[in-house]
Amino acid sequence: MKIKKILDSAETGSDVLVKGWVRTKRESKNAVFIALNDGSTLTNLQIVASPESFSEKIIQQVTTGASLKVEGQLTESPGSGQVKEVAARKIEILGPADPEKYPLQPKRHSLEFLREIAHLRPRTNTFGAIFRVRHAMAFAIHKFFHEKGFLYLNSPIITGSDAEGAGEIFRVTTLDLNNVPKREDGEIDLSMEFFEKETNLTVSGQLEGELAALAVSEIYTFGPTFRAENSNTTRHLAEFWMIEPEMAFYDNQDNMDLAEEMLKYIVGYALEHCPEDLKFLNDREQQEEKSKPQNERNELTLLDRLQFVIDHDFERITYTEAIDILRNSKPNKKKKFQFLIDKWGADLQSEHERYLVEKYFKKPVIIYDYPKEIKAFYMRQNDDNKTVAAMDVLFPGIGEIVGGSQREERLDKLTGRMEEMNIPKDDLWWYLETRKYGTVEHSGYGLGFERMIQFVTGMGNIRDVIPFPRTPGNCEF
Ligand code: ATP
Ligand code: MN
């Protein structure tokens, strides 16, 4: 039986069989107390073994990290700290763990150290909690879209085009890099490639998502995304998961409404279904805050921040309004921003986004209608000829969590912009065909799954919300 089930619903007096890993062992004169965990819940199951009933060899092998199979009777616990415990009748050591060598001792380890032992860190309370919350949020996302009638679309992972022209792409090749076949002019002979062309890992499923939305109206993707951006920040991974809904007949207002509704839904789902793990993460953050300087501490606790997001409408402002606020802000005037805002057209950095969210509005903010120069070619051009119908959702502690837009559905406008931006039209012939045949108004956005989990768990570093992070110089495990 899973420990969660035992603790939630098994009757005292019943016989149980549990398997799990030892967290701690405590020996007193008359009893050995074992805290067993199987990952189904944060709470350990207390196993009580009387020393007479078990050989010394068995008791010695019960050490932190060892795996056990335990049979016994579930009883009411006389001790404080737990309601039920198991009086062990049989203990089998499934896999011992040499206590001299086991890296995860029962004490507080730094997150940096735990990243070095990412193969074992799921066995800690913190990572158990994070991964259970991650699971619940993935489920909540599917549930949200399913209930709205969206189709889950699997967009390709290997692509023949660099969708956004962002350039931060991982090449996919089967060529022998020590002996690359060359043509007579010295260029790589792409006809020798597996796909007979240059291919990459996807940076976004959006373009394919649009193709499907222009047939079945509403879709979402939820898959791995790869960006070879050499930015060693606490919010960027080289491999992350993205949710990309794409909706026919939605304008940018509808797009923002959907994003806000979805974000509130996922946060609400986590609060409802992961109370124990979130309480643990909340308390963990409270502990950490104590060692931070006053001005870097969160004004609200994690649980209060989550409830706050659900209870308040997100602020919606245009890029132009955002620039006015930032230009006149204290950190700008006192030259505290690393990138000072002086004129319209400047790209917003994370420091600006966080000022708007954390200091100025003190709530999530959606910025829309950005200058076309700083946004992608496919975003719908506004009548002012200067801006596009983009929208970014900014969250406290994170900055940009969602980036999206209404898409340009007018063929001439779209190709015009592609030409201005030197986007090769031939490569995207299939994308352009949707604008020739039955084109409609449509919109979509991308939510970075790990950034969302950062927000919900309060974890400061994105490397700690994905089981096995990939970042520049790091692809272990
Ligand atoms: P940023 O400006 O923060 O680098 P972006 O503008 O490149 O993000 P988009 O292309 O709009 O991001 O991608 C949509 C969403 O995907 C972002 O809002 C963010 O939540 C997430 N995201 C983007 N890049 C990464 C990354 N390298 N690691 C994790 N999440 C990411
Ligand atoms: Mn963006």
Side-chain angles (χ1 to χ4, degrees):
M1 223 186 251
K2 287 282 184 65
I3 290 176
K4 181 170 170 44
K5 189 153 181 221
I6 292 177
L7 295 176
D8 283 353
S9 57
E11 305 248 333
T12 50
S14 60
D15 276 345
V16 292
L17 186 160
V18 279
K19 297 175 185 177
W21 292 264
V22 176
R23 285 296 174 82
T24 56
K25 178 176 70 173
R26 190 163 52 81
E27 287 176 85
S28 76
K29 223 187 277 150
N30 311 319
V32 181
F33 299 95
I34 306 161
L36 198 72
N37 192 285
D38 66 0
S40 59
T41 169
L42 186 74
T43 315
N44 299 323
L45 180 64
Q46 173 153 287
I47 312 286
V48 186
S50 80
E52 304 95 68
S53 317
F54 297 93
S55 72
E56 192 139 317
K57 182 161 174 257
I58 291 271
I59 299 296
Q60 262 173 11
Q61 282 190 300
V62 175
T63 62
T64 300
S67 50
L68 308 184
K69 173 177 163 185
V70 177
E71 286 174 62
Q73 192 181 44
L74 193 64
T75 58
E76 266 171 46
S77 177
S80 64
Q82 64 280 318
V83 178
K84 300 173 188 172
E85 63 187 24
V86 173
R89 201 179 306 122
K90 233 171 107 181
I91 297 179
E92 190 182 323
I93 310 288
L94 299 175
D98 184 345
E100 304 282 294
K101 295 193 179 132
Y102 187 59
L104 258 188
Q105 293 305 315
K107 61 163 196 173
R108 216 178 165 73
H109 291 291
S110 74
L111 293 171
E112 289 77 14
F113 171 71
L114 292 175
R115 263 171 238 149
E116 289 169 19
I117 53 164
H119 58 305
L120 294 173
R121 69 177 183 171
R123 298 182 182 194
T124 62
N125 284 338
T126 301
F127 285 90
I130 293 166
F131 297 150
R132 281 186 296 272
V133 172
R134 186 178 165 110
H135 166 81
M137 285 171 52
F139 187 77
I141 287 164
H142 284 296
K143 189 164 186 293
F144 175 80
F145 286 116
H146 173 74
E147 283 170 1
K148 284 196 170 294
F150 283 54
L151 294 194
Y152 174 35
L153 182 87
N154 299 115
S155 50
I157 303 215
I158 301 175
T159 63
S161 59
D162 168 12
E164 316 214 9
E168 295 154 342
I169 44 172
F170 286 101
R171 183 85 174 256
V172 174
T173 183
T174 50
L175 296 180
D176 177 359
L177 294 183
N178 291 315
N179 187 16
V180 178
K182 297 272 175 70
R183 296 187 317 209
E184 271 172 13
D185 62 3
E187 297 284 307
I188 297 174
D189 185 359
L190 291 172
S191 72
M192 301 296 284
E193 274 283 22
F194 185 90
F195 297 105
E196 298 178 15
K197 65 188 291 195
E198 187 179 322
T199 49
N200 308 301
L201 292 177
T202 182
V203 294
S204 161
Q206 178 201 320
L207 300 188
E208 289 87 356
E210 285 186 52
L211 308 182
L214 294 176
V216 299
S217 302
E218 292 165 336
I219 65 95
Y220 68 105
T221 70
F222 188 164
T225 308
F226 308 87
R227 296 195 186 170
E229 45 201 342
N230 218 336
S231 42
N232 249 313
T233 76
T234 55
R235 294 165 299 101
H236 288 93
L237 292 164
E239 178 181 293
F240 63 101
W241 288 67
M242 187 147 62
I243 295 97
E244 294 183 278
E246 195 67 40
M247 300 76 64
F249 319 114
Y250 273 53
D251 66 15
N252 208 28
Q253 289 294 331
D254 303 326
N255 203 24
M256 291 189 254
D257 291 345
L258 183 74
E260 182 166 345
E261 186 188 343
M262 177 201 66
L263 291 166
K264 287 178 168 163
Y265 180 90
I266 313 169
V267 172
Y269 189 93
L271 277 173
E272 193 183 334
H273 292 89
C274 310
E276 186 188 35
D277 289 322
L278 290 180
K279 169 84 172 51
F280 171 81
L281 292 164
N282 182 82
D283 297 349
R284 180 186 178 282
E285 184 184 86
Q286 296 284 94
Q287 278 297 323
E288 291 227 317
E289 296 272 285
K290 287 185 192 153
S291 61
K292 283 196 206 160
Q294 196 78 38
N295 62 342
E296 283 174 28
R297 291 187 197 166
N298 283 298
E299 280 174 33
L300 299 176
T301 66
L302 175 64
L303 289 171
D304 288 343
R305 294 201 299 279
L306 299 182
Q307 194 58 48
F308 185 91
V309 162
I310 297 175
D311 292 343
H312 293 82
D313 288 342
F314 297 2
E315 191 71 37
R316 297 186 189 189
I317 56 168
T318 62
Y319 166 89
T320 305
E321 288 165 328
I323 286 291
D324 283 340
I325 294 169
L326 289 167
R327 210 175 357 214
N328 296 315
S329 71
K330 236 195 203 166
N332 202 55
K333 288 187 165 155
K334 295 200 161 166
K335 301 201 169 16
K336 288 271 157 54
F337 283 142
Q338 197 187 339
F339 297 89
L340 295 176
I341 298 285
D342 67 339
K343 46 177 185 297
W344 193 93
D347 207 351
L348 300 184
Q349 307 293 329
S350 149
E351 56 179 346
H352 309 126
E353 297 174 344
R354 293 185 59 172
Y355 171 81
L356 291 169
V357 172
E358 289 160 32
K359 297 281 181 309
Y360 194 86
F361 289 111
K362 294 185 185 286
K363 54 156 119 163
V365 176
I366 309 183
I367 303 183
Y368 61 96
D369 289 348
Y370 279 82
K372 62 179 180 187
E373 280 75 24
I374 58 172
K375 288 291 181 185
F377 74 92
Y378 50 72
M379 297 191 178
R380 194 176 196 281
Q381 294 157 54
N382 288 325
D383 293 338
D384 62 10
N385 248 324
K386 284 162 54 184
T387 60
V388 288
M391 67 98 177
D392 281 2
V393 184
L394 316 179
F395 259 34
I398 309 287
E400 183 191 328
I401 196 160
V402 161
S405 68
Q406 186 170 335
R407 319 306 190 188
E408 184 55 80
E409 84 284 10
R410 299 161 295 186
L411 183 63
D412 54 331
K413 295 268 184 192
L414 181 59
T415 51
R417 194 74 192 122
M418 289 172 84
E419 279 155 22
E420 282 168 22
M421 295 175 73
N422 287 320
I423 310 274
K425 283 186 291 185
D426 294 349
D427 287 1
L428 292 175
W429 63 272
W430 43 272
Y431 183 70
L432 294 173
E433 289 220 331
T434 53
R435 273 63 172 174
K436 290 182 193 158
Y437 310 124
T439 190
V440 294
E441 179 178 75
H442 64 289
S443 302
Y445 60 82
L447 165 68
F449 188 46
E450 283 76 19
R451 289 200 191 165
M452 186 67 203
I453 301 169
Q454 276 191 279
F455 178 73
V456 173
T457 61
M459 298 304 288
N461 195 316
I462 199 165
R463 292 164 179 79
D464 298 328
V465 295
I466 188 164
F468 305 105
R470 269 83 181 96
T471 50
N474 169 33
C475 195
E476 196 68 45
F477 311 110

